[in-house]
């Protein structure tokens, strides 16, 4: 889609950067960066716009897998959330991140809470269920002393 061509849309489309966590061919999980555009088709980013990664130049996943780059049809996407440089490098590298079966619990409990701060995590094959993360609970303790004394403490 090229702006200015007959019948083509102008400008850019809205999209979001996601990390797709799926069951790998070998035991374990794989984490693949994808651009999820308004049409629902996942796209592959070939470049990011801006140091903060507020936009992306992308192509359809099928084109990136089979066609030669000179025949790719590029799309511009404004991302809902900026993509940090380490995740930009991961996306441009084109290789999924492998999580061995022995490391799945550590990924879920340790890395997932941090990754979700940087990008949306999805599971296109439904093999990864993220843990429920809830906010902290505030606890007020009251200790009654002699007379009208009251000692309060927060946790």
């Amino acid at each position: 889609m090229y702006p200015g061509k007959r019948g083509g849309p102008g400008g850019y489309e809205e999209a979001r950067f996601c990390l797709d966590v799926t069951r790998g061919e070998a035991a374990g999980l794989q984490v693949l960066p994808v651009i999820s555009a308004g049409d629902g088709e996942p796209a592959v980013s070939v470049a990011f716009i801006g140091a903060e990664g507020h936009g992306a130049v992308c192509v359809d996943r099928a084109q990136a897998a089979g066609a030669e780059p000179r025949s790719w049809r590029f799309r511009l996407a404004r991302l809902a959330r900026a993509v940090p440089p380490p995740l930009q490098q991961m996306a441009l590298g084109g290789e999924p991140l492998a999580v061995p079966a022995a490391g799945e619990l550590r990924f879920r409990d340790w890395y997932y809470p941090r990754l979700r701060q940087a990008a949306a995590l999805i599971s296109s094959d439904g093999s990864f269920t993220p843990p429920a993360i809830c906010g902290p609970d505030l606890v007020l303790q009251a200790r009654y002393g002699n007379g009208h004394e009251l000692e309060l403490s927060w946790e």
Side-chain angles (χ1 to χ4, degrees):
M1 296 186 265
Y2 294 94
K5 298 261 182 175
R6 273 194 231 175
Y12 57 88
E13 57 188 304
E14 298 289 330
R16 70 182 185 139
F17 178 84
C18 303
L19 295 173
D20 189 11
V21 183
T22 58
R23 182 69 48 199
E25 293 176 12
L29 300 172
Q30 68 178 10
V31 182
L32 182 68
V34 295
I35 303 288
S36 178
D39 60 7
E41 290 297 316
V44 176
S45 55
V46 294
F48 284 91
I49 300 169
E52 303 86 29
H54 62 272
V57 178
C58 48
V59 296
D60 292 332
R61 187 180 271 177
Q63 280 185 339
E68 294 220 8
R70 68 177 175 222
S71 66
W72 289 352
R73 301 285 292 182
F74 297 103
R75 298 165 31 190
L76 294 178
R78 181 171 73 180
L79 300 174
R81 187 162 132 184
V83 179
L87 291 179
Q88 290 180 36
Q89 292 172 353
M90 180 182 172
L92 297 175
E95 291 295 320
L97 174 68
V99 178
E104 286 185 37
L105 286 177
R106 185 169 186 202
F107 174 80
R108 189 193 72 193
D109 296 340
W110 181 256
Y111 292 103
Y112 168 76
R114 288 167 176 76
L115 278 175
R116 75 183 189 104
Q117 299 298 322
L121 272 79
I122 61 172
S123 182
S124 60
D125 67 355
S127 63
F128 177 72
T129 304
I133 297 177
C134 57
D137 291 327
L138 184 60
V139 177
L140 172 65
Q141 291 183 349
R143 292 191 182 113
Y144 298 97
N146 296 334
H148 294 286
E149 290 182 16
L150 176 63
E151 180 183 326
L152 298 175
S153 61
W154 296 94
E155 288 183 24

